[in-house]
mmCIF file of all heavy atoms in Angstrom:
data_model
loop_
_atom_site.group_PDB
_atom_site.id
_atom_site.type_symbol
_atom_site.label_atom_id
_atom_site.label_comp_id
_atom_site.label_asym_id
_atom_site.label_seq_id
_atom_site.Cartn_x
_atom_site.Cartn_y
_atom_site.Cartn_z
ATOM 1 N N PHE A 23 28.674 4.541 -0.306
ATOM 2 C CA PHE A 23 29.946 3.886 0.108
ATOM 3 C C PHE A 23 30.990 4.320 -0.830
ATOM 4 O O PHE A 23 30.853 4.176 -2.045
ATOM 5 C CB PHE A 23 29.804 2.324 0.035
ATOM 6 C CG PHE A 23 28.931 1.820 1.145
ATOM 7 C CD1 PHE A 23 27.573 1.611 0.949
ATOM 8 C CD2 PHE A 23 29.400 1.489 2.470
ATOM 9 C CE1 PHE A 23 26.691 1.185 1.945
ATOM 10 C CE2 PHE A 23 28.553 1.084 3.437
ATOM 11 C CZ PHE A 23 27.276 0.959 3.239
ATOM 12 N N THR A 25 34.060 3.475 -2.421
ATOM 13 C CA THR A 25 34.978 2.364 -2.567
ATOM 14 C C THR A 25 35.973 2.653 -3.637
ATOM 15 O O THR A 25 35.879 3.629 -4.365
ATOM 16 C CB THR A 25 34.151 1.090 -2.993
ATOM 17 O OG1 THR A 25 33.666 1.302 -4.251
ATOM 18 C CG2 THR A 25 33.014 0.839 -2.021
ATOM 19 N N VAL A 30 29.238 3.859 -4.359
ATOM 20 C CA VAL A 30 28.104 2.982 -4.398
ATOM 21 C C VAL A 30 26.924 3.640 -3.843
ATOM 22 O O VAL A 30 26.858 4.054 -2.650
ATOM 23 C CB VAL A 30 28.370 1.682 -3.524
ATOM 24 C CG1 VAL A 30 27.188 0.705 -3.586
ATOM 25 C CG2 VAL A 30 29.617 0.944 -3.911
ATOM 26 N N ALA A 32 24.098 3.156 -2.431
ATOM 27 C CA ALA A 32 23.383 2.018 -1.813
ATOM 28 C C ALA A 32 21.938 2.483 -1.448
ATOM 29 O O ALA A 32 21.020 1.745 -1.635
ATOM 30 C CB ALA A 32 24.086 1.585 -0.546
ATOM 31 N N GLY A 50 12.556 -6.332 -1.703
ATOM 32 C CA GLY A 50 13.313 -6.109 -2.921
ATOM 33 C C GLY A 50 14.436 -7.081 -3.031
ATOM 34 O O GLY A 50 14.760 -7.807 -2.004
ATOM 35 N N GLU A 51 14.984 -7.220 -4.236
ATOM 36 C CA GLU A 51 15.995 -8.245 -4.432
ATOM 37 C C GLU A 51 17.272 -7.898 -3.659
ATOM 38 O O GLU A 51 17.529 -6.748 -3.148
ATOM 39 C CB GLU A 51 16.402 -8.226 -5.931
ATOM 40 C CG GLU A 51 15.478 -8.991 -6.789
ATOM 41 C CD GLU A 51 15.683 -8.655 -8.276
ATOM 42 O OE1 GLU A 51 15.541 -7.583 -8.633
ATOM 43 O OE2 GLU A 51 16.068 -9.612 -9.051
ATOM 44 N N SER A 52 18.139 -8.907 -3.620
ATOM 45 C CA SER A 52 19.393 -8.731 -2.872
ATOM 46 C C SER A 52 20.218 -7.592 -3.447
ATOM 47 O O SER A 52 20.308 -7.415 -4.667
ATOM 48 C CB SER A 52 20.209 -10.142 -3.009
ATOM 49 O OG SER A 52 21.354 -10.003 -2.276
ATOM 50 N N GLY A 53 20.792 -6.780 -2.546
ATOM 51 C CA GLY A 53 21.685 -5.652 -2.934
ATOM 52 C C GLY A 53 21.005 -4.373 -3.285
ATOM 53 O O GLY A 53 21.610 -3.450 -3.798
ATOM 54 N N CYS A 54 19.642 -4.341 -3.018
ATOM 55 C CA CYS A 54 18.951 -3.108 -3.427
ATOM 56 C C CYS A 54 18.953 -2.026 -2.358
ATOM 57 O O CYS A 54 18.497 -0.893 -2.532
ATOM 58 C CB CYS A 54 17.536 -3.449 -3.798
ATOM 59 S SG CYS A 54 16.584 -4.058 -2.506
ATOM 60 N N GLY A 55 19.549 -2.311 -1.153
ATOM 61 C CA GLY A 55 19.737 -1.264 -0.122
ATOM 62 C C GLY A 55 18.809 -1.414 1.092
ATOM 63 O O GLY A 55 18.813 -0.459 1.851
ATOM 64 N N LYS A 56 18.206 -2.493 1.212
ATOM 65 C CA LYS A 56 17.281 -2.745 2.390
ATOM 66 C C LYS A 56 18.094 -2.682 3.719
ATOM 67 O O LYS A 56 17.701 -1.864 4.641
ATOM 68 C CB LYS A 56 16.591 -4.062 2.275
ATOM 69 C CG LYS A 56 15.825 -4.304 0.970
ATOM 70 C CD LYS A 56 15.075 -5.585 0.969
ATOM 71 C CE LYS A 56 15.926 -6.824 1.048
ATOM 72 N NZ LYS A 56 16.810 -7.055 -0.161
ATOM 73 N N SER A 57 19.132 -3.360 3.834
ATOM 74 C CA SER A 57 19.895 -3.464 5.134
ATOM 75 C C SER A 57 20.550 -2.108 5.357
ATOM 76 O O SER A 57 20.584 -1.580 6.486
ATOM 77 C CB SER A 57 20.957 -4.561 5.125
ATOM 78 O OG SER A 57 20.334 -5.783 5.091
ATOM 79 N N VAL A 58 21.101 -1.511 4.308
ATOM 80 C CA VAL A 58 21.737 -0.179 4.526
ATOM 81 C C VAL A 58 20.787 0.840 4.953
ATOM 82 O O VAL A 58 21.056 1.714 5.834
ATOM 83 C CB VAL A 58 22.459 0.265 3.207
ATOM 84 C CG1 VAL A 58 23.067 1.625 3.367
ATOM 85 C CG2 VAL A 58 23.609 -0.785 2.824
ATOM 86 N N THR A 59 19.557 0.738 4.523
ATOM 87 C CA THR A 59 18.507 1.688 4.994
ATOM 88 C C THR A 59 18.265 1.457 6.494
ATOM 89 O O THR A 59 18.281 2.466 7.222
ATOM 90 C CB THR A 59 17.146 1.411 4.217
ATOM 91 O OG1 THR A 59 17.361 1.585 2.885
ATOM 92 C CG2 THR A 59 16.017 2.274 4.745
ATOM 93 N N GLY A 68 29.359 1.878 8.826
ATOM 94 C CA GLY A 68 30.762 2.067 9.074
ATOM 95 C C GLY A 68 31.470 2.454 7.762
ATOM 96 O O GLY A 68 30.879 2.503 6.746
ATOM 97 N N GLN A 69 32.780 2.794 7.926
ATOM 98 C CA GLN A 69 33.617 3.101 6.747
ATOM 99 C C GLN A 69 33.564 1.918 5.769
ATOM 100 O O GLN A 69 33.479 0.844 6.187
ATOM 101 C CB GLN A 69 35.052 3.286 7.181
ATOM 102 C CG GLN A 69 35.205 4.602 7.974
ATOM 103 C CD GLN A 69 35.062 5.793 7.052
ATOM 104 O OE1 GLN A 69 35.239 5.751 5.842
ATOM 105 N NE2 GLN A 69 34.572 6.906 7.627
ATOM 106 N N PRO A 70 33.586 2.130 4.486
ATOM 107 C CA PRO A 70 33.648 3.446 3.755
ATOM 108 C C PRO A 70 32.317 4.141 3.475
ATOM 109 O O PRO A 70 32.175 4.941 2.626
ATOM 110 C CB PRO A 70 34.309 3.032 2.479
ATOM 111 C CG PRO A 70 33.813 1.678 2.156
ATOM 112 C CD PRO A 70 33.511 1.017 3.516
ATOM 113 N N GLN A 106 20.158 -10.681 10.944
ATOM 114 C CA GLN A 106 19.987 -11.957 10.250
ATOM 115 C C GLN A 106 20.620 -13.128 10.983
ATOM 116 O O GLN A 106 20.147 -14.242 10.973
ATOM 117 C CB GLN A 106 20.536 -11.769 8.836
ATOM 118 C CG GLN A 106 20.047 -12.785 7.879
ATOM 119 C CD GLN A 106 20.285 -12.278 6.450
ATOM 120 O OE1 GLN A 106 20.538 -11.082 6.254
ATOM 121 N NE2 GLN A 106 20.329 -13.204 5.489
ATOM 122 N N ASP A 188 15.644 -7.412 10.413
ATOM 123 C CA ASP A 188 16.275 -7.587 9.059
ATOM 124 C C ASP A 188 16.413 -9.072 8.764
ATOM 125 O O ASP A 188 17.183 -9.738 9.311
ATOM 126 C CB ASP A 188 17.596 -6.896 8.999
ATOM 127 C CG ASP A 188 18.173 -6.817 7.611
ATOM 128 O OD1 ASP A 188 17.646 -7.439 6.649
ATOM 129 O OD2 ASP A 188 19.223 -6.163 7.382
ATOM 130 N N GLU A 189 15.482 -9.517 7.906
ATOM 131 C CA GLU A 189 15.409 -10.929 7.435
ATOM 132 C C GLU A 189 15.445 -11.820 8.737
ATOM 133 O O GLU A 189 16.323 -12.606 8.956
ATOM 134 C CB GLU A 189 16.620 -11.385 6.635
ATOM 135 C CG GLU A 189 16.792 -10.598 5.354
ATOM 136 C CD GLU A 189 15.842 -11.028 4.235
ATOM 137 O OE1 GLU A 189 15.068 -11.967 4.391
ATOM 138 O OE2 GLU A 189 15.941 -10.426 3.153
ATOM 139 N N ILE A 220 12.296 -6.352 7.247
ATOM 140 C CA ILE A 220 12.964 -6.377 5.892
ATOM 141 C C ILE A 220 13.003 -7.841 5.506
ATOM 142 O O ILE A 220 13.462 -8.697 6.239
ATOM 143 C CB ILE A 220 14.391 -5.854 6.063
ATOM 144 C CG1 ILE A 220 14.284 -4.347 6.366
ATOM 145 C CG2 ILE A 220 15.201 -6.166 4.798
ATOM 146 C CD1 ILE A 220 15.584 -3.728 6.692
ATOM 147 N N HIS A 222 12.785 -10.873 1.961
ATOM 148 C CA HIS A 222 12.556 -11.243 0.585
ATOM 149 C C HIS A 222 11.236 -12.044 0.409
ATOM 150 O O HIS A 222 10.722 -12.240 -0.671
ATOM 151 C CB HIS A 222 13.531 -12.406 0.144
ATOM 152 C CG HIS A 222 14.931 -11.877 0.045
ATOM 153 N ND1 HIS A 222 15.915 -12.060 0.976
ATOM 154 C CD2 HIS A 222 15.608 -11.259 -1.005
ATOM 155 C CE1 HIS A 222 17.044 -11.597 0.596
ATOM 156 N NE2 HIS A 222 16.916 -11.067 -0.618
ATOM 157 N N LEU A 287 25.444 -0.346 -8.697
ATOM 158 C CA LEU A 287 25.071 0.883 -8.005
ATOM 159 C C LEU A 287 26.105 1.940 -8.117
ATOM 160 O O LEU A 287 25.999 2.978 -7.496
ATOM 161 C CB LEU A 287 24.756 0.551 -6.541
ATOM 162 C CG LEU A 287 23.481 -0.335 -6.364
ATOM 163 C CD1 LEU A 287 23.200 -0.544 -4.857
ATOM 164 C CD2 LEU A 287 22.249 0.307 -6.988
HETATM 165 N N1 ATP B 1 30.519 -1.813 3.612
HETATM 166 C C1 ATP B 1 30.107 -1.727 2.362
HETATM 167 N N2 ATP B 1 31.075 -1.302 1.397
HETATM 168 C C2 ATP B 1 30.702 -1.163 0.109
HETATM 169 N N3 ATP B 1 29.467 -1.406 -0.385
HETATM 170 C C3 ATP B 1 28.491 -1.837 0.543
HETATM 171 C C4 ATP B 1 28.815 -2.010 1.948
HETATM 172 N N4 ATP B 1 27.695 -2.387 2.511
HETATM 173 C C5 ATP B 1 26.742 -2.482 1.575
HETATM 174 N N5 ATP B 1 27.256 -2.145 0.354
HETATM 175 C C6 ATP B 1 26.495 -2.116 -0.882
HETATM 176 O O1 ATP B 1 25.304 -1.475 -0.768
HETATM 177 C C7 ATP B 1 24.294 -2.045 -1.504
HETATM 178 C C8 ATP B 1 23.088 -2.327 -0.809
HETATM 179 O O2 ATP B 1 23.391 -3.387 0.255
HETATM 180 P P1 ATP B 1 22.420 -3.939 1.241
HETATM 181 O O3 ATP B 1 23.143 -4.746 2.170
HETATM 182 O O4 ATP B 1 21.624 -2.879 1.792
HETATM 183 O O5 ATP B 1 21.484 -4.825 0.343
HETATM 184 P P2 ATP B 1 20.189 -5.680 0.783
HETATM 185 O O6 ATP B 1 18.983 -5.095 0.008
HETATM 186 O O7 ATP B 1 20.015 -5.697 2.212
HETATM 187 O O8 ATP B 1 20.469 -7.067 0.206
HETATM 188 P P3 ATP B 1 20.212 -8.513 0.790
HETATM 189 O O9 ATP B 1 18.771 -8.879 0.507
HETATM 190 O O10 ATP B 1 21.150 -9.397 0.145
HETATM 191 O O11 ATP B 1 20.443 -8.451 2.306
HETATM 192 C C9 ATP B 1 24.919 -3.241 -2.247
HETATM 193 O O12 ATP B 1 25.369 -2.936 -3.558
HETATM 194 C C10 ATP B 1 26.074 -3.539 -1.350
HETATM 195 O O13 ATP B 1 27.176 -4.093 -2.161
#
Side-chain angles (χ1 to χ4, degrees):
F23 291 91
T25 69
V30 181
E51 279 166 298
S52 187
C54 66
K56 305 182 297 294
S57 294
V58 173
T59 300
Q69 287 295 332
Q106 202 164 337
D188 189 349
E189 302 281 1
I220 292 172
H222 290 99
L287 296 180

